[in-house]
Amino acid sequence: MIMPRGAGQLLLPVNPAFIALSLFLALLADMVPIGRFPAMPDFLSVVLVFWGVHQPRRVGVVWAFVLGLLIDIHHGALLGQHALAYSLLSFGAITLHRRLTGFSLGAQALQVLPLFVLAHAVSLLVRLSVGGMWPGWTLLLAPLFETLLWPLASVMLLAPQRRAPDRDAHRPL
């Protein structure tokens, strides 16, 4: 994949073990028992969208569904609630992947904001349809926090691909 204009650097191929490690760490971050705070960003959804945009053939809807089931089991939620939301999120990211990589990080963040809003809305609708409680208006802050995490996640998750395989002063790439 070529970086957007102005970056001037080609990316190395991504290591599949790094993808798996980043998904696992995001899953663990979402499983940290800090209580039920509705505005807490969903780290796994940010990482799923990132890999759905940058590596759509490796991380797709199936991975999102399986990880959503694991989150459902951990949180004690209705089985399939997060799986459905993550699947739609991953599908949206894969749909946007060709267009999104040509923009700056700020413009990318604005374009993934509707994906995060949609995922939280689907999860909320499923929860409310089975008689769950309204989590409060602070739930509206979670997609905004996830959008603010997008540039940080992009820089951190692309960092291993940006290093040169062997340093050479005479080769510009």
Side-chain angles (χ1 to χ4, degrees), residues 23-34 40-41 43-44 71:
L23 288 169
F24 179 70
L25 291 176
L27 179 69
L28 287 181
D30 279 349
M31 289 184 172
V32 171
I34 57 173
M40 185 72 176
F43 300 107
L44 184 58
I71 290 290

Side-chain angles (χ1 to χ4, degrees), residues 49 52-54 56 88-103 107-116 150:
V49 169
V53 167
H54 291 282
L88 290 173
L89 192 66
S90 181
F91 178 76
I94 292 168
T95 304
L96 292 176
H97 89 275
R98 287 187 184 258
R99 179 178 68 168
L100 206 58
T101 55
F103 291 104
Q108 286 179 10
L110 287 176
Q111 291 190 20
V112 296
L113 175 63
L115 291 177
F116 294 134
W150 178 261

Side-chain angles (χ1 to χ4, degrees), residues 119-137:
H120 283 281
V122 165
S123 183
L124 178 66
L125 288 175
V126 168
R127 184 180 331 150
L128 293 177
S129 68
V130 295
M133 294 184 59
W134 172 257
W137 291 105

Side-chain angles (χ1 to χ4, degrees), residues 65-109:
F65 186 81
V66 170
L67 291 169
L69 286 178
L70 290 175
I71 290 290
D72 287 334
I73 291 169
H74 180 265
H75 289 317
L78 180 68
L79 194 61
Q81 173 183 335
H82 288 92
L84 175 64
Y86 288 169
S87 298
L88 290 173
L89 192 66
S90 181
F91 178 76
I94 292 168
T95 304
L96 292 176
H97 89 275
R98 287 187 184 258
R99 179 178 68 168
L100 206 58
T101 55
F103 291 104
S104 67
L105 289 178
Q108 286 179 10

Side-chain angles (χ1 to χ4, degrees), residues 120-164:
H120 283 281
V122 165
S123 183
L124 178 66
L125 288 175
V126 168
R127 184 180 331 150
L128 293 177
S129 68
V130 295
M133 294 184 59
W134 172 257
W137 291 105
T138 57
L139 179 70
L140 297 175
L141 295 175
L144 295 175
F145 291 149
E146 292 164 4
T147 302
L148 291 174
L149 284 174
W150 178 261
L152 178 66
S154 294
V155 169
M156 286 177 54
L157 294 175
L158 284 179
Q161 297 174 37
R162 286 196 174 118
R163 58 184 167 77

Side-chain angles (χ1 to χ4, degrees), residues 11-25:
L11 293 177
L12 295 172
V14 66
N15 187 353
F18 180 71
I19 293 174
L21 178 68
S22 66
L23 288 169
F24 179 70
L25 291 176

